């Protein structure tokens, strides 16, 4: 139900460190998860811009157990991606987890408009979304 959400990842030291530092990072797709993995940022992908009830249950349960209730959303910065993640943001707030946005189409004066997390450079990551939290 979640790409990259298999329990064996928790055995990796960098995954535990990432969860402690950033919380659970949620993205749309598997390419986003793989790119963030390259930067040693543990993420799970929904496989869509919309969350299912089962996925919502899993990410909130996971955030409560492993990240001190913290979630970082990294939507695709286009209209569909942001619209879907706005609904996810609302649902996560209702579930009483701490939610932050990593980037949006408006971040850094529109620098990320039409970008996806898989497009981010290491510089983008450090300057604009990871070190801010």
């Amino acid at each position: 139900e979640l790409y990259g959400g298999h329990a064996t990842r928790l055995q990796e030291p960098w995954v535990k460190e990432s969860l402690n530092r950033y919380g659970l990072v949620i993205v749309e797709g598997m390419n986003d998860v793989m790119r963030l993995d390259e930067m040693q940022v543990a993420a799970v992908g929904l496989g869509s811009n919309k969350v299912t009830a089962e996925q919502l249950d899993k990410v909130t349960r996971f955030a409560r157990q492993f990240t001190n209730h913290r979630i970082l959303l990294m939507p695709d910065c286009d209209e569909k991606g942001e619209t879907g993640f706005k609904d996810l943001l609302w649902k996560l707030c209702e579930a009483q987890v701490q939610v932050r946005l990593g980037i949006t189409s408006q971040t850094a004066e529109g620098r990320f408009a039409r970008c996806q997390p898989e497009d981010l450079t290491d510089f983008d990551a450090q300057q604009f979304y990871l070190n801010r939290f």
Side-chain angles (χ1 to χ4, degrees):
E1 293 174 23
L2 294 168
Y3 182 81
H6 45 86
T8 57
R9 289 184 78 193
L10 290 173
Q11 298 169 7
E12 299 287 335
W14 72 268
V15 171
K16 289 179 184 178
E17 183 179 322
S18 174
L19 293 172
N20 286 331
R21 185 170 185 188
Y22 310 116
L24 177 61
V25 179
I26 301 176
V27 296
E28 280 189 38
M30 70 177 179
N31 289 339
D32 301 322
V33 171
M34 290 187 292
R35 173 64 184 127
L36 291 172
D37 275 2
E38 289 174 357
M39 293 188 278
Q40 295 201 328
V41 176
V44 294
L46 300 178
S48 173
N49 63 346
K50 296 182 188 224
V51 68
T52 66
E54 293 81 13
Q55 289 173 324
L56 181 65
D57 180 58
K58 281 188 178 196
V59 297
T60 54
R61 190 173 63 243
F62 191 88
R64 288 181 182 126
Q65 284 181 302
F66 300 106
T67 70
N68 197 28
H69 298 239
R70 297 175 306 125
I71 291 179
L72 176 63
L73 298 181
M74 298 287 296
D76 287 1
C77 296
D78 56 25
E79 187 175 341
K80 286 184 179 182
E82 290 183 351
T83 298
F85 270 50
K86 285 177 185 176
D87 182 54
L88 174 58
L89 173 65
W90 186 270
K91 289 175 180 178
L92 290 169
C93 288
E94 287 179 331
Q96 298 182 342
V97 294
Q98 298 172 10
V99 186
R100 299 167 308 196
L101 283 173
I103 57 169
T104 70
S105 60
Q106 302 302 307
T107 302
E109 299 175 3
R111 175 183 176 119
F112 300 108
R114 295 175 300 283
C115 285
Q116 299 177 11
E118 69 183 82
D119 301 326
L120 298 174
T121 66
D122 291 345
F123 175 79
D124 292 333
Q126 296 308 314
Q127 288 296 116
F128 296 102
Y129 71 93
L130 292 180
N131 285 334
R132 293 187 342 194
F133 303 109

